Amino acid sequence: MKQRSFALRGDLCWSRDPQHLNTLRDGWLVCVDGRSAGVFETLPEAYANLPVEDWSGHLVVPGLVDLHVHAPQYTFQGLGMDLELLDWLDRHAFPEEARYADLDYARKAYTRFVEDMKHGPNTRACVFATLHGPATLLLMDLLEASGLVAMVGKVNMDRNSPDTLREESPEAAEAETRRWLEASSGRYERVSPIITPRFTPSCTDGLMERLGRLRKEFDVPVQSHLSENRGEVALVQELCPWSRFYGDAYDRFGLFGGDHNCIMAHCVLSGDEEIALMKERGVYVAHCPQSNTNLASGIAPVRRYLDEGLNQGLGSDVAGGSTLSIFRAMADAIQVSKLRWRLQDQSLAPLTAPEAFWLGTAGGGAFFGKVGSFDPGYELDAVVLDDSRTAPVLPLPVEDRLERAIYLSEDRDVVKKFVRGTALW
Amino acid sequence: MKQRSFALRGDLCWSRDPQHLNTLRDGWLVCVDGRSAGVFETLPEAYANLPVEDWSGHLVVPGLVDLHVHAPQYTFQGLGMDLELLDWLDRHAFPEEARYADLDYARKAYTRFVEDMKHGPNTRACVFATLHGPATLLLMDLLEASGLVAMVGKVNMDRNSPDTLREESPEAAEAETRRWLEASSGRYERVSPIITPRFTPSCTDGLMERLGRLRKEFDVPVQSHLSENRGEVALVQELCPWSRFYGDAYDRFGLFGGDHNCIMAHCVLSGDEEIALMKERGVYVAHCPQSNTNLASGIAPVRRYLDEGLNQGLGSDVAGGSTLSIFRAMADAIQVSKLRWRLQDQSLAPLTAPEAFWLGTAGGGAFFGKVGSFDPGYELDAVVLDDSRTAPVLPLPVEDRLERAIYLSEDRDVVKKFVRGTALW
């Protein structure tokens, strides 16, 4: 069933920009060598000889992109939601992540993460593993075998965590990170490493400095957390009194975009200076609405980031968020934007469904290149949904069926999935 | 498979009050003549001859109770979420409800509503139909046949809606409501009528007066909407300048509890006087967190209502909410309570999972009598969940599995369901 060139028939939805949702009922999406050759009302003569994937009556959307997810935390999705960030890390996240020193445990847990992601609507993700090099490589092996595309980070952390989950010194951390980078760089077709300081409270300046050097040496992107929670922001100010704002504490070490791709998760509490620097450096905001709700962090000003033209996508942030599907993140993003508008700031209009769909497809997809749309030239990630389970009495336009999928789809509705033009099953 | 006395084995969770969640791994729940005879660690000798329902390893919870749902709106669940209440009614709810003049349409739509509710985790609901008597009776017939327990209201509305969905006069409305009450009262074992003025903006004083009289004459409960949205509250003040507050505009006509059971949905914007009167009259608050988010209404002070001892339960408010399952309403209630705490008022602590579980079982169940718990004497509604789909690597305590079910369960996880001791399949 694997094929890199084909013509797919179905009810198509895709975005070019946040404001414009394109839909085509009973249209043709042509894939040539893993990339879109375009969308057509009738199949052009030139493609008449391609194999046909006939998904008539099904909803077909670009693969969804998860810009921020913690694979080892998937074991406790939907649990321990009664704490704020720093206590939640101590009580739930750190003890669980410590278990990944055990490769048997890691294999069981990561297998379930990868299997569930494979069968849901996401095709790409930027993933935090743990600080353990071997378990991180195992996760990368499993992701590569699944056919998904992912950037995966061995996490770095050398302070403010239990002995069982802390690197011994900046030097030891650098050595382990170098081993992991050497082992993983160029080893995979679809999976690649990404430098991953957990966040400033977990990383000494000495470690950050070394990570900045490794980043340059191996020419890899960066992911971390930024301005999620009040206690965390205050702690960063205390730990890095020299920093002008939280983001500056990454920027100082060359870990805040500019000459490299960089994702910062959350950005709930970013101030004007921080936002200006994110924009200047092209930093991607990974908006994680469910996690920011569960950990009572607040609601990020996504509308402002859209208006100012920042790079932006969505993150599930499992297990701060409970659900892998980025459809759920789209719904959550719309919903919390309404509460923000109602309770906090009526100058920022709520998100629309097309905007949320763009964030979860082309918005986040741009971090991976030309990804997240069906426009010609885009890498062809496509998800075929059987939405008959929730079909109403009267037929709906494709656009309405998409809105419904955002609110109601379940992973089992995904009946076929292509990544870079290759079917995952 | 139908039986009214049996001994059920499984991993049991139930509440007595909002603060105390009871759990028992591998316990026995005994049902005698449709009521709980109690929960036991080992099956007492006295019940040794009962037929056994062995659901070892499964999670077993009381049936969930939906205190507020619009059956005719189920056709557009997850659609049209970009408007506030009054515009949303005009654009989406009213045109759809007008279709239920057609009994063929009503049968198709209501059949899907009832089938989906039957197979999800809810066992009881207080349901708004439309203003059409015949379609409302049809819905009641379908609910009765399903084995679910429901109170169903023919909606009354004689102003501020399109010609296609408005009763001609208070007199005509009274006559039609009387016909419906006469046809439905005593006709069913599990379904009963409930007086349902849509809300004050839709009902003239003359209609309200007549509904108050009918309520008394037929000795039935009442359901309506209260203080959901700012525009609505202002409109009520304009329409009923004599009212001290919105709830007073029901109370004046004997439609606000006291000598009868009464549910008011939403109560997002209720002030001190209104809250005091709800408490005095024993009015049930139906908290509908997802709907209040989708329609950008705000977040109700559920913690205050709990602290003050008001009657309270959860509502899906489909299609203001997109999802029938009250598990989802529990998760939403917890989540929005955190955002309310963070953004609006730090004097009201967020809800805990046990509190949300209580609201969705015994809290709302009390509207139906001794319902929503496994304590002895309660009517036995029970839902058996197969939670293996989301099982983690290491086994979890029952309490944690329940928290997970709140966030992650899907309707398909419901493998068996009892209402008043009778299996639905």
Side-chain angles (χ1 to χ4, degrees):
Chain A
M1 280 304 285
K2 297 197 174 183
Q3 50 195 32
R4 305 253 301 162
S5 298
F6 55 89
L8 188 154
R9 185 176 186 174
D11 299 330
L12 310 170
C13 303
W14 74 105
S15 298
R16 185 163 305 158
D17 60 55
Q19 285 74 42
H20 296 96
L21 175 70
N22 301 295
T23 62
L24 183 57
R25 212 181 79 75
D26 201 20
W28 291 90
L29 168 62
V30 174
C31 177
V32 174
D33 293 337
R35 288 187 182 266
S36 170
V39 168
F40 306 93
E41 289 191 25
T42 51
L43 187 63
E45 196 52 41
Y47 304 120
N49 291 328
L50 288 179
V52 169
E53 287 276 345
D54 190 347
W55 293 100
S56 300
H58 289 69
L59 209 54
V60 184
V61 302
L64 311 189
V65 179
D66 188 347
L67 280 190
H68 186 66
V69 58
H70 294 264
Q73 298 177 7
Y74 192 54
T75 47
F76 65 98
Q77 51 164 178
L79 266 185
M81 296 301 197
D82 51 350
L83 299 169
E84 279 193 79
L85 176 65
L86 300 179
D87 294 326
W88 177 83
L89 286 170
D90 285 339
R91 285 264 292 279
H92 295 287
F94 290 161
E96 178 64 18
E97 289 191 21
R99 294 199 168 114
Y100 290 75
D102 173 357
L103 275 178
D104 280 345
Y105 186 87
R107 181 177 298 278
K108 282 181 198 150
Y110 281 152
T111 297
R112 191 173 148 247
F113 169 78
V114 172
E115 277 302 301
D116 284 2
M117 183 175 158
K118 177 174 173 175
H119 291 98
N122 306 353
T123 53
R124 308 205 178 207
C126 293
V127 184
F128 280 54
T130 62
L131 57 72
H132 313 94
T136 304
L137 282 171
L138 171 65
L139 172 60
M140 295 171 90
D141 290 349
L142 292 169
L143 281 164
E144 173 77 4
S146 74
L148 297 162
V149 175
M151 300 189 200
V152 179
K154 173 205 140 15
V155 171
N156 287 107
M157 49 198 298
D158 71 341
R159 68 175 168 191
N160 291 324
S161 56
D163 292 347
T164 49
L165 194 75
R166 197 175 61 238
E167 294 175 298
E168 272 179 31
S169 66
E171 295 75 16
E174 180 181 1
E176 174 78 351
T177 306
R178 178 180 293 283
R179 267 194 298 279
W180 161 71
L181 284 167
E182 285 169 348
S184 63
S185 299
R187 171 169 168 168
Y188 307 106
E189 249 185 86
R190 289 171 293 273
V191 177
S192 56
I194 178 167
I195 289 279
T196 306
R198 180 167 211 122
F199 66 159
T200 300
S202 297
C203 301
T204 60
D205 291 0
L207 175 54
M208 289 291 206
E209 213 181 299
R210 284 169 172 79
L211 293 178
R213 287 203 301 262
L214 283 172
R215 197 223 63 68
K216 230 180 218 164
E217 184 183 337
F218 286 84
D219 191 22
V220 282
V222 172
Q223 62 182 354
S224 197
H225 299 91
L226 183 68
S227 298
E228 173 178 3
N229 163 285
R230 293 185 193 186
E232 169 212 21
V233 171
L235 181 57
V236 169
Q237 192 51 48
E238 201 181 290
L239 292 167
C240 305
W242 47 262
S243 63
R244 291 173 300 147
F245 45 85
Y246 191 165
D248 188 38
Y250 294 113
D251 192 53
R252 158 83 68 104
F253 303 106
L255 296 166
F256 204 63
D259 61 351
H260 61 277
N261 271 329
C262 175
I263 300 174
M264 288 287 153
H266 307 307
C267 308
V268 174
L269 303 169
S270 298
D272 292 344
E273 271 190 297
E274 187 163 283
I275 292 170
L277 191 65
M278 286 196 289
K279 184 171 180 181
E280 190 186 321
R281 298 275 197 271
V283 169
Y284 278 74
V285 174
H287 175 48
C288 305
Q290 195 184 149
S291 171
N292 298 153
T293 299
N294 286 331
L295 300 176
S297 303
I299 304 170
V302 176
R303 164 70 57 206
R304 175 172 177 189
Y305 299 154
L306 279 178
D307 287 349
E308 297 205 12
L310 266 68
N311 292 319
Q312 193 172 202
L314 297 176
S316 69
D317 195 23
V318 160
S322 63
T323 317
L324 282 179
S325 167
I326 292 297
F327 277 131
R328 174 65 189 259
M330 293 177 193
D332 291 331
I334 297 167
Q335 290 175 327
V336 301
S337 75
K338 290 174 176 169
L339 291 176
R340 195 181 197 285
W341 172 82
R342 168 57 68 205
L343 302 178
Q344 188 171 358
D345 178 0
Q346 299 216 353
S347 78
L348 296 181
L351 291 184
T352 64
E355 286 168 337
F357 180 68
W358 178 84
L359 283 170
T361 54
F367 192 77
F368 289 86
K370 289 199 74 145
V371 170
S373 175
F374 291 155
D375 281 344
Y378 274 75
E379 296 187 42
L380 198 129
D381 292 6
V383 172
V384 180
L385 292 169
D386 177 355
D387 62 341
S388 62
R389 189 174 56 77
T390 56
V393 180
L394 301 176
L396 289 172
V398 176
E399 185 168 348
D400 286 357
R401 286 165 55 199
L402 175 67
E403 184 176 357
R404 215 160 225 240
I406 289 174
Y407 289 95
L408 303 176
S409 67
E410 296 176 354
D411 286 359
R412 61 174 157 154
D413 301 333
V414 176
V415 293
K416 188 84 181 181
K417 201 163 149 180
F418 300 88
V419 180
R420 291 182 179 162
T422 298
L424 291 207
W425 61 79
Chain B
M1 282 303 285
K2 296 198 175 182
Q3 50 194 37
R4 304 252 304 163
S5 298
F6 56 89
L8 188 154
R9 185 177 188 174
D11 299 330
L12 310 169
C13 303
W14 73 106
S15 298
R16 185 163 304 157
D17 59 54
Q19 286 74 42
H20 297 96
L21 176 70
N22 301 294
T23 62
L24 182 58
R25 212 181 79 75
D26 202 20
W28 291 89
L29 168 63
V30 174
C31 177
V32 174
D33 292 339
R35 287 188 183 266
S36 171
V39 167
F40 306 93
E41 288 191 25
T42 52
L43 186 62
E45 197 51 41
Y47 304 120
N49 291 327
L50 288 178
V52 168
E53 287 277 344
D54 191 347
W55 293 100
S56 300
H58 288 69
L59 209 55
V60 184
V61 301
L64 311 188
V65 179
D66 188 347
L67 280 190
H68 186 67
V69 57
H70 293 263
Q73 297 177 9
Y74 192 55
T75 46
F76 65 96
Q77 50 165 177
L79 266 184
M81 295 303 196
D82 51 348
L83 298 170
E84 279 193 79
L85 176 66
L86 300 179
D87 294 327
W88 177 84
L89 286 170
D90 285 340
R91 284 264 292 278
H92 295 287
F94 290 161
E96 178 63 19
E97 290 189 21
R99 293 199 169 115
Y100 290 74
D102 172 356
L103 274 179
D104 280 344
Y105 186 85
R107 178 176 299 279
K108 282 182 198 149
Y110 281 151
T111 296
R112 192 176 146 245
F113 169 78
V114 172
E115 277 302 299
D116 284 0
M117 183 175 157
K118 177 174 174 176
H119 292 99
N122 306 352
T123 53
R124 309 206 177 206
C126 294
V127 184
F128 279 55
T130 63
L131 57 73
H132 314 94
T136 303
L137 282 171
L138 170 66
L139 172 60
M140 295 171 90
D141 291 348
L142 292 169
L143 282 164
E144 172 78 3
S146 74
L148 297 161
V149 175
M151 300 190 201
V152 179
K154 172 203 137 24
V155 171
N156 287 107
M157 48 197 297
D158 71 341
R159 66 175 168 191
N160 291 322
S161 57
D163 292 347
T164 50
L165 192 75
R166 198 176 61 239
E167 294 176 297
E168 273 180 29
S169 66
E171 294 75 14
E174 181 182 1
E176 174 77 351
T177 305
R178 178 180 293 281
R179 267 194 298 279
W180 162 71
L181 284 167
E182 285 169 348
S184 62
S185 299
R187 170 169 170 169
Y188 306 108
E189 251 185 84
R190 289 172 294 273
V191 177
S192 57
I194 180 168
I195 288 281
T196 306
R198 179 165 211 123
F199 66 158
T200 301
S202 297
C203 301
T204 60
D205 291 359
L207 175 54
M208 288 291 205
E209 213 180 299
R210 285 167 171 79
L211 292 178
R213 287 203 301 261
L214 284 172
R215 197 221 65 67
K216 233 182 218 162
E217 182 183 338
F218 286 85
D219 190 22
V220 283
V222 171
Q223 61 181 353
S224 196
H225 299 91
L226 183 67
S227 297
E228 173 178 0
N229 162 286
R230 293 185 193 187
E232 170 211 20
V233 171
L235 182 55
V236 169
Q237 193 49 49
E238 200 180 291
L239 293 166
C240 304
W242 47 264
S243 62
R244 291 173 301 146
F245 46 86
Y246 190 163
D248 188 38
Y250 294 113
D251 192 53
R252 156 82 68 105
F253 304 106
L255 296 166
F256 204 61
D259 61 351
H260 61 276
N261 271 328
C262 174
I263 300 174
M264 288 286 152
H266 307 306
C267 308
V268 173
L269 303 169
S270 298
D272 291 343
E273 273 191 294
E274 186 162 283
I275 293 170
L277 191 65
M278 286 196 287
K279 187 174 177 179
E280 190 187 321
R281 298 276 198 269
V283 168
Y284 278 74
V285 174
H287 175 48
C288 304
Q290 196 185 148
S291 170
N292 297 332
T293 299
N294 286 331
L295 298 176
S297 303
I299 304 171
V302 175
R303 164 71 57 206
R304 175 172 178 189
Y305 298 154
L306 279 177
D307 288 349
E308 298 207 12
L310 267 68
N311 292 318
Q312 192 172 201
L314 297 175
S316 68
D317 195 22
V318 160
S322 63
T323 318
L324 281 179
S325 169
I326 291 297
F327 278 131
R328 174 65 188 259
M330 293 178 193
D332 290 331
I334 297 167
Q335 291 176 327
V336 300
S337 75
K338 291 174 175 169
L339 292 176
R340 194 180 196 284
W341 172 81
R342 169 55 69 206
L343 301 178
Q344 188 170 357
D345 179 0
Q346 299 216 353
S347 77
L348 296 181
L351 291 184
T352 64
E355 287 168 336
F357 181 67
W358 178 85
L359 283 170
T361 54
F367 193 77
F368 288 86
K370 287 198 76 144
V371 169
S373 176
F374 291 154
D375 281 345
Y378 274 75
E379 295 188 41
L380 199 131
D381 291 9
V383 172
V384 180
L385 292 168
D386 178 355
D387 62 340
S388 62
R389 188 175 55 80
T390 56
V393 180
L394 301 175
L396 289 174
V398 177
E399 184 169 346
D400 286 358
R401 286 164 57 198
L402 175 67
E403 184 175 358
R404 218 162 224 239
I406 289 174
Y407 288 96
L408 303 176
S409 68
E410 295 175 356
D411 286 359
R412 61 174 158 154
D413 301 333
V414 175
V415 292
K416 188 85 180 178
K417 200 164 151 182
F418 299 90
V419 179
R420 293 182 178 163
T422 298
L424 291 207
W425 62 80

